Structures are given as C-alpha cells and as structure tokens.
C-alpha cells in the first residue's frame, strides 16, 4: 500500500521504488502483477517511456494468469504511453 499512497501523491520516483521492491521480492504474491503494472505507470509518469513499455510488456510474460483488471490496465497504459 505504500507504493499506492506515494503514487496517488504524485511521488512517482518513490512509488516506482516501492512497486519494484514488491515485484522483485514478492514476485509470487497475489499483488505482484498489479505492482508491476503500477511500476510501469510510475515510470511513464516520470517520462521514462522505454522502461515503462518494457515493464508493461513484462506483466503479460511474467504473469499470464494475472487478473483481468490488471490485463485491462496494462492494455490501457500501453495505449496511453504509445508503446
């Protein structure tokens, strides 16, 4: 929840660090796919398009059984970031 709080307060760099920690340390956790999505969104907000697009693409590869809501979020963010 820390990353989400930071993201909502537009502290994207801190949020990205938090989401990265979740997605790497707890990659088997149920929140890991969403953390990877939010990492991509944070990177896009920091104008790091290439890293954001790579991260968003990784969600589908790493978590093919991610919840539909996460998959929709990834698709929307890919379109928004013009990956």
């Amino acid at each position: 929840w820390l990353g989400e709080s930071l993201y909502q307060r537009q502290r994207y760099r801190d949020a990205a660090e938090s989401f990265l920690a979740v997605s790497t340390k707890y990659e088997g956790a149920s929140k890991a796919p969403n953390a990877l999505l939010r990492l991509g969104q944070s990177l896009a907000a920091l104008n790091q398009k290439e890293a954001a697009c790579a991260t968003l693409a990784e969600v589908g590869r790493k978590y093919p059984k991610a919840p539909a809501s996460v998959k929709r979020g990834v698709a929307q963010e890919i379109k928004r970031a013009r990956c």
Side-chain angles (χ1 to χ4, degrees):
W1 297 113
L2 175 62
E4 190 63 35
S5 172
L6 293 165
Y7 185 86
Q8 293 302 322
R9 291 184 291 164
Q10 298 179 351
R11 292 179 52 190
Y12 301 121
R13 184 163 309 284
D14 295 331
E17 290 175 11
S18 181
F19 291 130
L20 179 63
V22 170
S23 65
T24 55
K25 291 180 185 175
Y26 307 102
E27 62 184 38
S30 62
K31 294 205 180 288
N34 191 59
L36 205 53
L37 164 62
R38 295 303 261 170
L39 173 58
Q41 291 172 321
S42 298
L43 292 169
L46 291 167
N47 294 319
Q48 295 182 15
K49 180 181 176 180
E50 192 173 311
C53 292
T55 300
L56 293 166
E58 188 67 17
V59 176
R61 281 193 298 273
K62 200 169 186 178
Y63 302 104
K65 295 182 180 180
S69 61
V70 172
K71 290 179 181 181
R72 277 193 307 273
V74 168
Q76 289 172 344
E77 195 60 35
I78 285 173
K79 186 183 286 186
R80 184 176 306 137
R82 298 181 183 155
C83 296

